[in-house]
Amino acid sequence: MHVLKAAHEPGRVVVTVETDQVLTGCPACGVVAVGHGRREHRRADAPLFGTPVLVVWRKRTWCCPDPGCPVVTFSEVHDLAAARAKLTGRAICWATDALVMDDTTVAALARHLGVDWHTCWDAIETEATIRLADSDRPAGVATLGVDEHI
Ligand SMILES: [Zn+2]
């Protein structure tokens, strides 16, 4: 992922990024795809020195040249953010970690991310559910205590 531009706007930092991917295959038929331009996708990222960060991902779109293929166009995939996610993966981990370890609220985290409460909670709830499903999570625990916050 390359940073093309970073700008400070009132109340947030805006970072424009794109990948350098120049070759990919169609996910349905595997034929080498043809570039079809880029589309900007906006995602909230983890805050920078307490300032909300908006990532503008110039996401590459591709076209399958095979006329018999059911896929016409598709977008690149990257670990930066899942498809249709409103937060980057890093922002989701940051918010979930903060909710677990710090004395904070979803409202405060949403404010730090520059998103509304529901956007923040939806992302945290999904991540927390995945983490709680890890059966090895309590491994090595000798004593269990209850904190008034966690
Ligand atoms: Zn195809």
Side-chain angles (χ1 to χ4, degrees):
M1 194 64 76
H2 299 282
V3 174
L4 302 175
K5 181 177 148 191
H8 190 255
E9 294 182 355
R12 68 181 179 186
V13 173
V14 179
V15 180
T16 304
V17 299
E18 68 180 26
T19 66
D20 59 357
Q21 185 178 16
V22 294
L23 187 66
T24 193
C26 170
C29 68
V31 168
V32 174
V34 177
H36 195 60
R38 293 181 185 269
R39 242 187 239 153
E40 290 188 350
H41 293 255
R42 297 170 180 271
R43 305 288 186 266
D45 199 9
L48 177 67
F49 300 114
T51 303
V53 175
L54 176 69
V55 172
V56 178
W57 177 11
R58 297 189 66 242
K59 198 171 185 180
R60 185 108 196 216
T61 56
W62 300 93
C63 181
C64 179
D66 184 348
C69 180
V71 172
V72 179
T73 60
F74 58 96
S75 297
E76 71 178 336
V77 176
H78 193 275
D79 290 341
L80 175 71
R84 287 179 278 289
K86 295 177 181 170
L87 276 63
T88 65
R90 180 172 51 195
I92 294 168
C93 287
W94 173 84
T96 306
D97 288 347
L99 194 59
V100 170
M101 304 304 288
D102 301 332
D103 187 18
T104 189
T105 63
V106 174
L109 295 170
R111 188 176 58 254
H112 287 294
L113 291 170
V115 299
D116 76 6
W117 188 94
H118 296 283
T119 299
C120 187
W121 174 244
D122 289 348
I124 289 172
E125 184 179 30
T126 301
E127 175 66 14
T129 301
I130 292 168
R131 290 184 187 187
L132 289 171
D134 180 8
S135 61
D136 292 336
R137 199 170 60 91
V141 173
T143 305
L144 187 63
V146 179
D147 183 279
E148 71 275 3
H149 170 69
I150 299 176

